[in-house]
Amino acid sequence: MKECKALIIAGSAGSLEVLLKVLPDLRTDMSFPIIIVVHRKQGADFLLADLLSARTKLKVKEVEEKEEIMPKTIYIAPSDYHLLIEKEHTFSLDYSEKVNYSRPSIDVTFQSAAEVYTNKLACLLLSGSNADGVNGLETVTHYKGVALAQDPSTASVSYMPEQAILKVKIAHILKPEDMASYINSLNQPLTVQ
Amino acid sequence: MSNQITISDEQIEFLLADVLAWYGYDFTGYSRASLRRRIHRVFGLDKQVSFAEFRYKIINDKSYFKRFVEQITVNVTEMFRDPAFYKTLRNLVLPHFGTYPFIRIWLAGCSTGEEAYSIAIVLKELNLLNKSLIYATDINPIVLEKASQAMFPMSQMKQYSENYISSGGIKDFSSYYSANYSLAKFGDELKSKIIFSTHNLVSDHSFNEFQLILCRNVLIYFDRSLQFNVLQLFDQSLENLGYLALGTKETIDFSPITKKYKRLNTEKIWRKQGERV
């Protein structure tokens, strides 16, 4: 990947433990934003932000609508809204119908981000029990972005990354212990030309 | 979704210009990411094959245009959504109106009416319904027609009843409706205090002065400058010491009206602080 403008990490059941493992090892001078979309119960938003910010020196915050997307920041999609990306690199929220029985839907965020960041987008799909995110990864590859999946043998619920690997051309299948170093390797926008 | 024909950004701008020119509906201040997704969605749902045909149909077929508007605006809502919000409304906001001779409430973007009936129920339980009038407005006539029927799917009632109870409801929720096969019909007493009417927040003016304005999960679909315009419209339509309630993820911060308002505890409710000298 030549230049990464955004990384989205998404998942459902069993993805939180992976995030908690990966975050502490991330560089703190990230040249791109990290956007996290996880399925969860309504209302536990602050908890998740607190939980994750305890594991990293990067700024962690829940998305505010129309907020400008900045590097060196980890953004968390609020529960019960779809998260979309605008052309001018701001966030939009949307309370429309659930997609794949989910809101936020991973597909919605992946697809919307793919249209904006095209080949400068990396999306990582983690553990989960449904196939939300798989169509979105397909869109990401359509725009020549990088599709990534957790190694299903390491996932506490393997269905989501399995479906992704089955249906989409995945660039790298990653074990949780290898994710941080892979993500850190994307962090060199100016040296590779 | 990913394999269908993609409508380009330029084509979307054409379409919005058409809709404004032919019908006077101005969607140009809507956030593009969401709007784009909604347009793609209706295009796919209706099995449209080309953009040119789609555009022609929207311009020339008035009934299809109505469907288009219904589909690109989001009409997902529920009764007593965000129970904590309704609890604050019940305990901290509406009791202030106890001594008022008459209570006017504007629910902007009411969609199919679930929130309007929810508010009417709270007013009734506070013995305020008799002197209240809820103006429930939406851009979209089709959803208002549904709203005025006061009928919602029975299958939703379990969820709504749970919401109602956690919002501080004190009665048996099922006492508010009668079961009619798959539908729950809400009583006329509630409905008689609600006026459903079309109003376009983008282009229509203030039409009254209110003690409480609710507009939840509508501003998220607007860009910043349209949001500011609409907040100013609300400000013009709100009495001093009146309340403005927005959705969980919406705010008046950064807007021109923010100085005149004071936020109420943790909910997205602000009180107008009267004129500053």
Side-chain angles (χ1 to χ4, degrees):
Chain A
M1 190 172 208
K2 262 194 172 163
E3 186 192 352
C4 181
K5 287 266 190 182
L7 167 70
I8 307 177
I9 306 177
S12 187
S15 59
L16 184 59
E17 56 193 75
V18 181
L19 289 168
L20 293 174
K21 194 175 163 62
V22 173
L23 259 47
D25 297 326
L26 293 180
R27 293 175 62 117
T28 52
D29 61 348
M30 280 292 167
S31 52
F32 49 85
I34 299 176
I35 300 160
I36 293 176
V37 183
V38 286
H39 296 161
R40 64 192 187 282
K41 273 229 152 136
Q42 208 176 321
D45 290 340
F46 296 108
L47 243 84
L48 184 62
D50 287 348
L51 206 57
L52 295 183
S53 63
R55 301 291 180 116
T56 174
K57 292 217 163 57
L58 287 160
K59 187 175 174 190
V60 179
K61 68 186 304 284
E62 195 185 290
V63 165
E64 313 267 350
E65 66 105 21
K66 300 297 172 322
E67 178 176 14
E68 191 184 347
I69 305 173
M70 304 296 282
K72 283 192 267 190
T73 310
I74 298 179
Y75 294 98
I76 300 172
S79 60
D80 215 25
Y81 288 84
H82 295 305
L83 177 68
L84 299 116
I85 317 282
E86 300 286 343
K87 282 260 174 321
E88 49 276 11
H89 298 182
T90 59
F91 288 113
S92 274
L93 298 175
D94 177 319
Y95 187 69
S96 58
E97 297 79 359
K98 291 184 178 181
V99 175
N100 306 316
Y101 309 100
S102 309
R103 189 171 50 219
S105 151
I106 300 167
D107 276 345
V108 168
T109 305
F110 280 0
Q111 284 163 352
S112 156
E115 288 169 4
V116 172
Y117 294 113
T118 61
N119 64 346
K120 291 173 179 132
L121 174 69
C123 290
L124 169 59
L125 196 58
L126 303 178
S127 168
S129 55
N130 74 5
D132 187 27
V134 174
N135 286 335
L137 277 186
E138 209 179 321
T139 311
V140 171
T141 57
H142 171 80
Y143 282 96
K144 311 274 188 254
V146 174
L148 307 161
Q150 180 178 357
D151 182 342
S153 70
T154 67
S156 48
V157 188
S158 60
Y159 186 79
M160 191 178 266
E162 262 167 18
Q163 288 298 306
I165 292 163
L166 206 64
K167 293 182 176 144
V168 185
K169 198 169 168 291
I170 302 294
H172 298 282
I173 296 167
L174 299 166
K175 291 185 169 46
E177 57 264 36
D178 300 329
M179 287 176 184
S181 61
Y182 178 83
I183 294 167
N184 289 335
S185 77
L186 300 174
N187 190 34
Q188 34 194 243
L190 295 170
T191 49
V192 185
Q193 284 289 340
Chain B
M1 283 294 280
S2 55
N3 294 327
Q4 64 180 273
I5 302 167
T6 308
I7 303 171
S8 72
D9 292 350
E10 198 184 12
Q11 286 170 327
I12 286 184
E13 300 310 314
F14 281 147
L15 198 57
L16 300 185
D18 287 341
V19 164
L20 177 56
W22 289 85
Y23 296 102
Y25 279 76
D26 188 355
F27 290 103
T28 59
Y30 279 54
S31 291
R32 286 303 187 271
S34 175
L35 187 62
R36 200 178 140 76
R37 188 172 158 261
R38 303 298 294 176
I39 291 174
H40 268 111
R41 184 175 164 277
V42 63
F43 188 87
L45 278 178
D46 293 352
K47 302 189 169 55
Q48 296 289 333
V49 287
S50 80
F51 174 74
E53 246 173 80
F54 182 52
R55 184 180 175 189
Y56 182 86
K57 201 166 175 193
I58 290 167
I59 299 171
N60 292 289
D61 181 345
K62 211 172 172 182
S63 68
Y64 189 72
F65 171 71
K66 275 191 190 166
R67 174 177 166 73
F68 175 78
V69 172
E70 189 195 8
Q71 289 299 320
I72 64 168
T73 51
V74 172
N75 289 298
V76 178
T77 175
E78 53 183 74
M79 292 188 80
F80 293 96
R81 179 180 175 201
D82 307 324
F85 170 83
Y86 278 94
K87 197 171 219 167
T88 304
L89 209 58
R90 177 190 289 269
N91 295 332
L92 294 178
V93 176
L94 295 175
H96 279 288
F97 304 144
T99 56
Y100 287 37
F102 197 72
I103 305 167
R104 278 184 308 272
I105 296 170
W106 180 13
L107 175 60
C110 70
S111 188
T112 39
E114 282 83 341
E115 283 195 282
Y117 292 99
S118 306
I119 295 161
I121 286 171
V122 181
L123 287 167
K124 184 173 159 55
E125 292 183 4
L126 296 173
N127 288 319
L128 298 172
L129 186 62
N130 280 335
K131 57 176 183 175
S132 298
L133 203 49
I134 301 168
Y135 294 76
T137 65
D138 201 278
I139 181 179
N140 183 345
I142 298 177
V143 293
L144 290 170
E145 213 174 290
K146 283 183 198 157
S148 64
Q149 287 165 4
M151 287 193 285
F152 304 108
M154 269 310 282
S155 57
Q156 297 291 325
M157 290 306 133
K158 187 172 169 289
Q159 175 70 49
Y160 292 175
S161 171
E162 286 170 17
N163 288 356
Y164 165 77
I165 290 163
S166 43
S167 79
I170 45 174
K171 288 197 173 173
D172 181 355
F173 187 63
S174 64
S175 67
Y176 287 109
Y177 61 83
S178 49
N180 189 348
Y181 297 99
S182 64
L183 293 170
K185 172 107 174 74
F186 281 76
D188 286 339
E189 189 193 355
L190 302 177
K191 196 181 142 181
S192 68
K193 294 297 181 179
I194 309 172
I195 296 172
F196 289 104
S197 159
T198 56
H199 181 278
N200 188 339
L201 289 170
V202 181
S203 51
D204 292 342
H205 297 290
S206 175
F207 58 95
N208 211 327
E209 209 168 55
F210 302 92
Q211 283 91 37
L212 168 64
I213 298 177
L214 304 100
C215 182
R216 304 176 68 222
N217 294 305
V218 177
L219 295 181
I220 49 174
Y221 302 110
F222 298 165
D223 65 25
R224 270 278 154 88
S225 87
L226 180 53
Q227 285 179 354
F228 291 174
N229 290 346
V230 173
L231 286 172
Q232 265 162 343
L233 169 66
F234 290 155
D235 183 49
Q236 289 158 12
S237 310
L238 199 60
E239 277 186 12
N240 283 337
L241 303 177
Y243 293 88
L244 174 63
L246 303 179
T248 326
K249 292 290 153 198
E250 295 163 333
T251 183
I252 67 167
D253 297 347
F254 320 114
S255 83
I257 71 165
T258 185
K259 279 188 182 153
K260 280 193 257 176
Y261 286 77
K262 200 166 174 232
R263 175 127 176 234
L264 215 72
N265 70 13
T266 53
E267 295 302 322
K268 292 298 179 72
I269 302 173
W270 288 264
R271 191 172 199 193
K272 193 171 177 176
Q273 296 302 301
E275 294 303 328
R276 295 266 164 96
V277 188

